[in-house]
Amino acid sequence: MTTTMQSTSAGAPKAWPRPIPDSSPLHWVFRVIGVAVIAAIAIYIGLNATPSTLGNVTEACILAIAAVALNLLLGFNGQISIGHSTFVGLAAFAAGYTVNFWHWNAYWSLVLGIVLCFLLGFALGLPALRLKGPYLALVTLAVAFVWPTVAKKFLEQKVKKNSLKGTHLSPPTWTGLVSKGKDARLDKAIFLYWCGIILLLVAYVVVRNLRKSRIGRSLVAVRDNETAAAVMGVNLKFTKTITFGISAAIAGTAGWLSAARLDVFNDTSFTILNSIKYLLALFLGGAATLLGPIVGAFAYFFLDDYLRSHAPHWTWLPGQLSKGPIASFLLGAIVIAFVFIAPFGLVGFVKDQARRVFIVTPRPLRPALTPSALDDERPEESKGE
Amino acid sequence: MAHLLQYVLNGLANGSMYALVALGIVVIYRGTNHLNFAQGEMALLATAGAWWINDKGVPLAAAILLAAAIAFIGGGVIEFGLIRPAGRKSPFAVVVVTIGLFQGLNSFTSLLFPKVGNGVKFGTLFPNKPADFFRLPGGAIWRYERIGVLVTVLVITGLLFALFQKTKVGLAMRMVANNPESAKLAGVPTNRILMMSWGLSAAIGAIGGALIGGINANINVSTMFGVFLLASAAATLGGLDSPLGAVVGGLSLGVIESLVSNYPKNWVASTYIGADTAIAVAFLIILVVLLVRPSGLFGSSRVERV
Amino acid sequence: MSVLLEVTDLVAGYGAVQVLRGLDLSVNEGEVSVILGANGAGKTTTMRAISGMIQRNGAVRFGGEDITHTSPNDIVKLGIAQVPQGRGTFTDLSVSDNMRAGAYVRKGGAAQADLDEWYEIFPRLQERRDQKAGSLSGGEQQMLAIARAMMSRPKLLLCDEPSLGLAPIITQELFAILGRLNAERGLSILVVEQNANLAVKIAHSVFVLETGSIVASGTAEDIAKDDSVRKAYLGY
């Protein structure tokens, strides 16, 4: 009641939602503030957090990178993949094996992982040229299902053990994170944390630039209407296979980071359940938005973490409930509830709310295209009078 | 030859169970064009229910039928309460809901039946003592239990075909699957039919789950995981909108799996092919089939509206 | 002559887009009414609104009963059958199953007598009764659509642009059949058409639809005399 009274008495009719022209100074102010806040949080965590918190955030970054990769494929190109856990696993195995057995430099193993994932992704993109929707989903599902058996054979035949050691990536000397003894764990955690943040940033920038480029427009065109896109001159084969390859390569960096973080991993570390986690994180944040997968991954990770550590102690739950996998059940229920509360994810939800306050109006394509461009120099003031 | 026959027989038994779960997937896909990722977990919940009812002293066959009946209602409720409202949001939303259900139902099963969470013994409907088998000419043995499972699946498939082809409800289901708009104009209450499709699918899954529990003599929370993957592969191989395809796909997947896991060791001492990689080979074969026929063996390729 | 279908002040559309803006029309018992209109005038929307396929406001009365809030399947049961635009064939079903599909609302399903009757009227369908309906030609599918709709024994048949995509000779045949159905069985028909000449020939009354409302109506003779309508829709 009071709020409505105030807004009417304030006497600012039609001031809200307030239009903000794209790339206007005000828009830039908002952007800069946004980036600054996120950067400040990232730096604060990097300087102050405990090793276990840093580890958690790094783990969330891994999830976020995988979700960003999936978003490029599913959100922007409309090709569903339930096989992204395979790419993550492949890159992790490549890193773990080359570092431990061939004594490679860990950074070269990242390059190898990216190349391998790109090639496998590209190869998977080939059936995608003929298969659609659920048929494609099932092929990627099959890949995710086959990966653990391949990984197991690999461990048996090549590693001769039932697990593979991590890459034990240690901070280079120039970072100054070279303490011995007690602080070594913290230093390593800080270093991996920054690796996670930087790789996530790189993944974001790659996808963002792709999306905003000509290729990005053809991705979306293919998603929305394949036939129409082909008729307009989009090379379907190229677009679909390359997108699959790039998406897989990005997922590969998540795998490399996993290999650096984990002490040991094996054939059961990267299963379909991981792929499902990537999908859920993506949907939670909002598919087909640039920030969605990142927001979703962090939300998913910390929600999962919170439920797992707290739900078993909820004594107010009736009977045996708190003893079972209540966290996992609640997570499923929350995801379903989200479909109805925020069908376009957290980012979509926030955008919808923000749209009541500010609307970013697009820049005119080219001034020459609008004959009245000269008159539009001060449109708002003249209309106001 | 005896070996070959033996492997085929074993494969048919496993394949018939894949076929049954695949049928459940197909019944839903035909109606709504959605792949139900929760199909296996719906079956898990129903099978756990059957175990619980049986545990309370009800004969197993009756317990399974009762669980299937409850699953029928449950499937309808899921369609009405979750899938349909989600479908009004976007097709993506339905995918998310079924994936959410996959996660939720699995843990719900162990919340509701904590014992199932750790695995429980599951009875079988068929004689399965060590001596319960036929000896076929050539030396292959055919266990009564495997025969029983195969026959059960074939009977259910037959009933399902009769339902689709001979009854009014079946006609309505085919109408809705083929052209929902026209079905509505012909007076079909499409929503009710979709609810029934989900219910039917859940009931089929319940029976499939019970058969699997019987063969394994055990159910636990991860029982359905692999079965769903194989069943969905079978459904894809056969064509997602073809019940016949689901049965053919399921049986052939079972036989391929059995042959691949047993045969090569007789030819080559390969260290790379064996029981655990059989699935990989089976999936590879499916991939090749799909590349030649992108809508599966019996699936109809629909012209996409532009 | 009693009024069978009476539509008053019909408002309908898709989401935020309003297509029909207070449309009035009526069909008398045993008569053929035709709605003429250009692309986008709202003809198909009118048909869908009458059948209850989309949200609608206003009043739709059928045989004296208010059906504004009745569900599509109950409307079919009351006796309105629609031949949708594009024929609405169940392409994966056999021709005979398509016919049975039309009789869905009738208790006990399709009577063999009805099937035989329509096969007699459309012998081509009998020849092909076990084929998939999707393999029929456009004209055959249109015949099938009419036979399918008639299997529900409707009192009122709605035909949405039956001539769409058909050769002129087939179209003539089609309207001859619609005329016969009306003359011999007293079936009331509401036809939507763009190519109006044939339709007006079998019509008793005509409605002209422009941007969501009726701008002219009258008997077929009156409308044919109206110069502006004649020029715009009849082309002479």
Side-chain angles (χ1 to χ4, degrees):
Chain A
M1 269 303 282
T2 45
T3 49
T4 45
M5 293 281 285
Q6 276 167 359
S7 66
T8 42
S9 60
K14 291 179 188 172
W16 309 102
R18 203 187 160 95
I20 304 176
D22 189 18
S23 301
S24 66
L26 186 59
H27 193 209
W28 273 107
V29 168
F30 276 111
R31 283 179 178 177
V32 169
I33 291 176
V35 171
V37 167
I38 292 170
I41 293 173
I43 291 169
Y44 179 83
I45 293 174
L47 292 176
N48 295 301
T50 61
S52 77
T53 309
L54 288 169
N56 275 346
V57 180
T58 313
E59 202 61 42
C61 283
I62 294 174
L63 180 59
I65 294 171
V68 166
L70 193 59
N71 189 33
L72 174 65
L73 189 66
L74 177 59
F76 294 129
N77 199 211
Q79 305 192 72
I80 191 165
S81 164
I82 313 169
H84 265 48
S85 58
T86 308
F87 304 124
V88 178
L90 179 64
F93 267 64
Y97 190 73
T98 54
V99 168
N100 285 310
F101 288 81
W102 295 350
H103 307 291
W104 277 30
N105 178 325
Y107 302 100
W108 282 113
S109 75
L110 173 61
V111 177
L112 175 72
I114 288 175
V115 171
L116 282 179
C117 286
F118 179 83
L119 292 177
L120 180 65
F122 187 84
L124 249 181
L126 292 174
L129 295 177
R130 269 178 76 74
L131 303 177
K132 291 214 179 96
Y135 289 92
L136 175 63
L138 281 165
V139 168
T140 60
L141 187 81
V143 171
F145 189 57
V146 167
W147 163 253
T149 62
V150 174
K152 196 171 172 212
K153 279 281 160 194
F154 181 80
L155 288 176
E156 282 171 10
Q157 302 297 320
K158 293 284 177 190
V159 184
K160 313 277 188 204
K161 271 190 197 153
N162 53 17
S163 64
L164 196 55
K165 276 190 193 143
T167 56
H168 296 292
L169 188 64
S170 47
T173 43
W174 57 263
T175 56
L177 299 166
V178 286
S179 317
K180 297 279 179 222
K182 243 172 77 182
D183 288 339
R185 198 166 91 90
L186 178 63
D187 279 2
K188 195 186 166 195
I190 292 174
F191 178 65
L192 284 178
Y193 166 80
W194 283 112
C195 282
I197 295 286
I198 289 166
L199 284 177
L200 176 57
L201 191 66
V202 170
Y204 170 79
V205 170
V206 166
V207 172
R208 181 186 177 277
N209 288 355
L210 261 179
R211 172 64 189 93
K212 306 240 163 175
S213 70
R214 189 166 161 258
I215 299 173
R217 287 191 290 277
S218 55
L219 290 186
V220 174
V222 168
R223 175 192 72 188
D224 290 346
N225 192 329
E226 224 170 76
T227 314
V231 171
M232 286 191 302
V234 173
N235 186 337
L236 280 186
K237 288 180 187 172
F238 177 80
T239 309
K240 290 178 108 179
T241 48
I242 288 293
T243 312
F244 232 115
I246 295 175
S247 173
I250 295 173
T253 62
W256 177 81
L257 200 56
S258 283
R261 219 187 93 66
L262 295 169
D263 286 333
V264 285
F265 49 89
N266 59 21
D267 50 310
T268 60
S269 304
F270 306 97
T271 63
I272 296 173
L273 292 176
N274 293 55
S275 286
I276 287 175
K277 210 195 274 183
Y278 308 153
L279 277 171
L280 291 181
L282 175 59
F283 287 125
L284 203 60
T289 59
L290 287 168
L291 280 175
I294 299 174
V295 173
F298 277 82
Y300 183 93
F301 184 85
F302 288 101
L303 185 65
D304 188 35
D305 192 52
Y306 175 83
L307 288 175
R308 264 174 225 295
S309 54
H310 288 79
H313 305 298
W314 288 342
T315 44
W316 47 266
L317 284 173
Q320 297 282 305
L321 277 184
S322 64
K323 293 201 170 60
I326 184 80
S328 167
F329 171 71
L330 286 178
L331 207 59
I334 289 172
V335 166
I336 292 175
F338 244 76
V339 169
F340 298 100
I341 301 165
F344 299 100
L346 280 167
V347 168
F349 185 74
V350 170
K351 271 188 183 170
D352 275 352
Q353 299 307 313
R355 220 166 271 145
R356 296 181 185 184
V357 185
F358 295 111
I359 291 182
V360 176
T361 53
R363 246 179 318 190
L365 278 178
R366 239 173 252 142
L369 288 178
T370 52
S372 56
L374 289 173
D375 304 334
D376 281 355
E377 287 289 325
R378 41 194 168 82
E380 293 310 316
E381 291 147 24
S382 55
K383 272 175 201 159
E385 284 160 19
Chain B
M1 265 322 274
H3 283 301
L4 177 65
L5 188 59
Q6 185 67 61
Y7 298 151
V8 170
L9 292 181
N10 294 355
L12 281 179
N14 281 342
S16 57
M17 294 183 296
Y18 305 153
L20 204 52
V21 180
L23 270 175
I25 293 171
V26 165
V27 167
I28 285 181
Y29 184 82
R30 277 163 59 90
T32 51
N33 276 331
H34 291 305
L35 190 60
N36 177 18
F37 287 99
Q39 188 72 31
E41 305 314 308
M42 280 161 56
L44 172 69
L45 183 55
T47 312
W51 166 81
W52 186 81
I53 297 168
N54 181 229
D55 201 43
K56 290 276 169 273
V58 179
L60 185 61
I64 294 173
L65 286 180
L66 195 57
I70 297 169
F72 181 83
I73 297 168
V77 169
I78 289 178
E79 196 280 331
F80 178 79
L82 292 176
I83 304 299
R84 197 184 309 164
R88 281 196 284 266
K89 303 271 182 190
S90 77
F92 253 6
V94 179
V95 177
V96 186
V97 168
T98 62
I99 292 177
L101 275 175
F102 168 85
Q103 172 146 15
L105 285 179
N106 186 293
S107 21
F108 186 63
T109 305
S110 25
L111 289 178
L112 204 56
F113 308 107
K115 283 185 183 164
V116 177
N118 307 318
V120 288
K121 277 197 171 144
F122 200 87
T124 175
L125 291 169
F126 309 105
N128 70 341
K129 289 192 199 68
D132 286 333
F133 62 80
F134 273 125
R135 189 172 291 280
L136 294 169
I141 58 169
W142 202 2
R143 297 188 54 78
Y144 292 161
E145 189 177 21
R146 291 182 190 275
I147 299 173
V149 169
L150 183 61
V151 169
T152 309
V153 170
L154 291 180
V155 167
I156 290 174
T157 310
L159 288 175
L160 210 54
F161 271 89
L163 174 80
F164 279 136
Q165 299 300 330
K166 302 287 175 200
T167 70
K168 214 167 143 176
V169 172
L171 177 65
M173 282 182 173
R174 286 188 292 145
M175 287 161 77
V176 173
N178 187 224
N179 193 333
E181 176 97 2
S182 275
K184 224 172 179 181
L185 280 174
V188 175
T190 43
N191 285 340
R192 216 176 304 159
I193 294 294
L194 288 180
M195 257 174 91
M196 287 180 71
S197 297
W198 274 77
L200 185 63
S201 170
I204 295 170
I207 295 173
L211 292 179
I212 291 160
I215 287 262
N216 295 344
N218 169 288
I219 54 163
N220 59 58
V221 281
S222 53
T223 298
M224 286 301 163
F225 200 55
V227 173
F228 167 69
L229 292 173
L230 288 163
S232 52
T236 318
L237 176 64
L240 278 169
D241 55 0
S242 159
L244 177 66
V247 175
V248 174
L251 293 178
S252 17
L253 188 63
V255 172
I256 293 170
E257 183 195 8
S258 169
L259 291 180
V260 175
S261 61
N262 288 299
Y263 250 104
K265 70 185 169 199
N266 299 341
W267 304 332
V268 277
S270 166
T271 45
Y272 277 92
I273 293 186
D276 49 351
T277 32
I279 296 302
V281 177
F283 274 123
L284 212 63
I285 292 170
I286 290 174
L287 180 62
V288 172
V289 171
L290 283 182
L291 286 180
V292 180
R293 292 188 58 94
S295 313
L297 291 172
F298 298 91
S300 58
S301 51
R302 285 186 194 168
V303 177
E304 214 164 302
R305 281 168 296 184
V306 174
Chain C
M1 189 68 56
S2 70
V3 179
L4 183 63
L5 177 77
E6 191 176 18
V7 176
T8 36
D9 202 21
L10 183 66
V11 176
Y14 306 90
V17 185
Q18 197 189 12
V19 179
L20 304 182
R21 305 147 196 225
L23 176 140
D24 301 293
L25 64 81
S26 60
V27 182
N28 288 334
E29 199 147 355
E31 287 193 0
V32 178
S33 296
V34 173
I35 302 177
L36 302 179
N39 281 337
K43 302 181 305 259
T44 297
T45 309
T46 308
M47 291 304 215
R48 288 168 58 84
I50 293 173
S51 295
M53 297 290 283
I54 51 174
Q55 274 292 321
R56 58 209 190 284
N57 285 309
V60 183
R61 298 179 72 79
F62 180 69
E65 198 173 331
D66 183 12
I67 59 165
T68 320
H69 303 291
T70 310
S71 67
N73 49 313
D74 287 331
I75 289 178
V76 180
K77 277 182 200 153
L78 287 172
I80 300 183
Q82 187 178 147
V83 177
Q85 190 172 35
R87 301 159 201 130
T89 311
F90 296 103
T91 48
D92 290 344
L93 271 57
S94 68
V95 169
S96 61
D97 276 347
N98 264 270
M99 303 280 279
R100 286 198 184 89
Y104 179 82
V105 290
R106 283 175 49 197
K107 288 223 165 61
Q112 190 59 40
D114 284 51
L115 273 172
D116 291 342
E117 185 186 347
W118 289 103
Y119 282 145
E120 203 174 302
I121 297 172
F122 300 113
R124 297 282 284 171
L125 298 182
Q126 183 166 28
E127 284 167 33
R128 287 156 198 255
R129 66 183 157 190
D130 293 326
Q131 276 183 21
K132 272 194 176 183
S135 66
L136 300 183
S137 73
E140 286 163 350
Q141 284 192 33
Q142 191 65 57
M143 304 298 172
L144 175 61
I146 290 172
R148 197 182 66 222
M150 291 304 294
M151 286 296 287
S152 68
R153 291 205 184 151
K155 296 186 193 113
L156 173 67
L157 184 69
L158 308 177
C159 287
D160 194 349
E161 293 215 34
S163 73
L164 196 74
L166 298 184
I169 179 119
I170 308 280
T171 313
Q172 274 182 12
E173 201 182 318
L174 189 75
F175 275 96
I177 287 166
L178 288 178
R180 260 175 61 197
L181 288 179
N182 171 250
E184 293 171 8
R185 293 160 183 257
L187 177 72
S188 313
I189 305 177
L190 177 62
V191 194
V192 148
E193 263 300 337
Q194 278 199 63
N195 305 334
N197 286 318
L198 281 167
V200 170
K201 260 178 213 157
I202 63 165
H204 298 89
S205 54
V206 175
F207 299 86
V208 179
L209 183 64
E210 265 174 31
T211 57
S213 52
I214 300 293
V215 292
S217 65
T219 64
E221 295 82 36
D222 291 344
I223 287 292
K225 277 182 212 139
D226 183 322
D227 276 352
S228 61
V229 172
R230 204 187 65 212
K231 271 193 194 119
Y233 296 99
L234 301 176
Y236 58 88

